[in-house]
Protein backbone atom coordinates (compact mmCIF):
# COMPACT_ATOMS: atom_id res chain seq x y z
CA UNK A 1 0.00 0.00 0.00
CA UNK A 2 1.55 3.37 -1.04
CA UNK A 3 2.13 6.11 1.51
CA UNK A 4 -0.14 9.14 1.27
CA UNK A 5 1.36 12.34 -0.09
CA UNK A 6 2.99 14.37 2.66
CA UNK A 7 3.29 18.09 2.11
CA UNK A 8 6.35 19.99 3.27
CA UNK A 9 7.66 23.53 2.95
CA UNK A 10 4.17 24.98 3.43
CA UNK A 11 3.62 28.72 3.05
CA UNK A 12 0.43 30.75 3.14
CA UNK A 13 -0.10 33.64 0.70
CA UNK A 14 -3.41 35.27 1.54
CA UNK A 15 -6.07 32.54 1.54
CA UNK A 16 -3.92 30.28 -0.68
CA UNK A 17 -1.62 27.65 0.80
CA UNK A 18 1.39 26.47 -1.22
CA UNK A 19 3.11 23.16 -0.45
CA UNK A 20 5.56 20.71 -1.99
CA UNK A 21 5.29 16.92 -2.16
CA UNK A 22 6.88 13.92 -3.86
CA UNK A 23 4.63 12.06 -6.28
CA UNK A 24 4.65 8.29 -6.71
CA UNK A 25 7.39 8.47 -9.36
CA UNK A 26 9.90 10.29 -7.17
CA UNK A 27 9.36 13.73 -8.69
CA UNK A 28 8.84 16.85 -6.61
CA UNK A 29 5.58 18.67 -7.33
CA UNK A 30 4.11 21.87 -5.92
CA UNK A 31 0.48 22.63 -5.18
CA UNK A 32 -1.39 25.89 -4.65
CA UNK A 33 -4.80 25.50 -3.02
CA UNK A 34 -7.24 28.13 -1.77
CA UNK A 35 -8.56 27.52 1.75
CA UNK A 36 -11.59 29.81 1.47
CA UNK A 37 -14.95 28.05 1.82
CA UNK A 38 -16.58 27.09 -1.50
CA UNK A 39 -13.67 28.35 -3.61
CA UNK A 40 -12.30 25.07 -4.98
CA UNK A 41 -9.11 26.55 -6.50
CA UNK A 42 -6.27 24.01 -6.61
CA UNK A 43 -3.46 23.52 -9.13
CA UNK A 44 -0.26 21.44 -9.44
CA UNK A 45 3.00 22.74 -10.87
CA UNK A 46 6.50 21.47 -11.59
CA UNK A 47 8.09 24.72 -10.36
CA UNK A 48 7.73 26.20 -6.89
CA UNK A 49 7.92 29.72 -8.32
CA UNK A 50 4.94 29.02 -10.60
CA UNK A 51 2.87 27.79 -7.65
CA UNK A 52 3.72 30.89 -5.62
CA UNK A 53 2.92 33.19 -8.56
CA UNK A 54 -0.43 31.46 -8.97
CA UNK A 55 -1.13 31.97 -5.27
CA UNK A 56 -0.26 35.67 -5.48
CA UNK A 57 -2.52 36.31 -8.49
CA UNK A 58 -5.49 34.15 -7.36
CA UNK A 59 -8.76 36.02 -6.88
CA UNK A 60 -11.46 34.13 -4.99
CA UNK A 61 -14.80 33.80 -6.69
CA UNK A 62 -16.51 32.65 -3.47
Amino acid sequence: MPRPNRFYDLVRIGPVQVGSYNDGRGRTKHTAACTAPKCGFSTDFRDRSAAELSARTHRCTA
Side-chain angles (χ1 to χ4, degrees), residues 22-54:
N22 294 319
D23 68 359
R25 299 180 185 259
R27 296 176 294 213
T28 300
K29 299 246 181 151
H30 311 279
T31 298
C34 187
T35 59
K38 298 183 181 177
C39 180
F41 170 77
S42 175
T43 54
D44 286 336
F45 296 95
R46 289 187 290 163
D47 298 321
R48 176 75 183 205
S49 59
E52 290 183 7
L53 177 64
S54 176

Side-chain angles (χ1 to χ4, degrees), residues 5-16:
N5 291 333
R6 298 189 188 267
F7 290 94
Y8 60 92
D9 197 15
L10 295 171
V11 67
R12 187 175 200 91
I13 301 172
V16 181

